[in-house]
Every structure is written in structure tokens, then in C-alpha cells.
């Protein structure tokens, strides 16, 4: 890739980092547990995107392996938290 494309990838990763930091507000101030879980899931997905952009920007394909493993762990964690925080009496079906 060209130096301009590499710089654009790194800049994109930096922008996603800033947006992920903005989502931290929802983790701290989220009124419900579900808001916090979704915000943590967004941060995890942002981390995968950041790793992929850095791998492309620095020409380091081994970072993609780390991103894939992190994506799988993020998915399993979301399922586990959803399973253990579910309370049938709190769910309101429409």
C-alpha cells in the first residue's frame, strides 16, 4: 500500500479510539445493566476494528489473528452476560 493509504488507516483507527472513549460514558452512567452491556460490546467491537485497521496500516497481518480471537471472546462474553443477567420477571413483552 502507499504511505497515504497507511496513514489513512492509522488515522481511522485513531478516530475509532476517540469514539470508543466517548462510549465509556455510557458504561459509567448507563441507567441499566443492559445499557452497560451494550456499551461494553460496542467497545469490544471497536477494539476489533482498531486492530484490523492497524494491521492494514502497518502491514502486520498477524494482528488480524488477535482481532479474530478478540471478536470471538467478545461474542462469547456477550452471550454469557446476557444469559446470566436475564430475569424473566423483568422482561416486558409487547
Amino acid at each position: 500500500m502507499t504511505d497515504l493509504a497507511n496513514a489513512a488507516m492509522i488515522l481511522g483507527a485513531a478516530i475509532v479510539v476517540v469514539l470508543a472513549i466517548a462510549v465509556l460514558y455510557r458504561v459509567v452512567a448507563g441507567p441499566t445493566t443492559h445499557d452497560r452491556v451494550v456499551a461494553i460490546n460496542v467497545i469490544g467491537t471497536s477494539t476489533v476494528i482498531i486492530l484490523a485497521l492497524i494491521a492494514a496500516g502497518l502491514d502486520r497481518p498477524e494482528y488480524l489473528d488477535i482481532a479474530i480471537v478478540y471478536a470471538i471472546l467478545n461474542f462469547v462474553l456477550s452471550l454469557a452476560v446476557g444469559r446470566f443477567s436475564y430475569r424473566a420477571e423483568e422482561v416486558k413483552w409487547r
Side-chain angles (χ1 to χ4, degrees), residues 36-88:
R36 290 183 172 101
V37 170
V38 169
I40 290 172
N41 197 6
V42 167
I43 292 172
T45 303
S46 298
T47 304
V48 173
I49 292 169
I50 291 165
L51 285 170
L53 287 172
I54 289 174
L58 297 178
D59 291 328
R60 301 288 304 259
E62 60 268 10
Y63 289 172
L64 289 176
D65 296 336
I66 298 169
I68 291 170
V69 170
Y70 194 80
I72 292 169
L73 289 175
N74 189 30
F75 175 70
V76 171
L77 177 69
S78 296
L79 290 178
V81 169
R83 172 71 176 113
F84 292 117
S85 66
Y86 174 75
R87 293 188 186 105

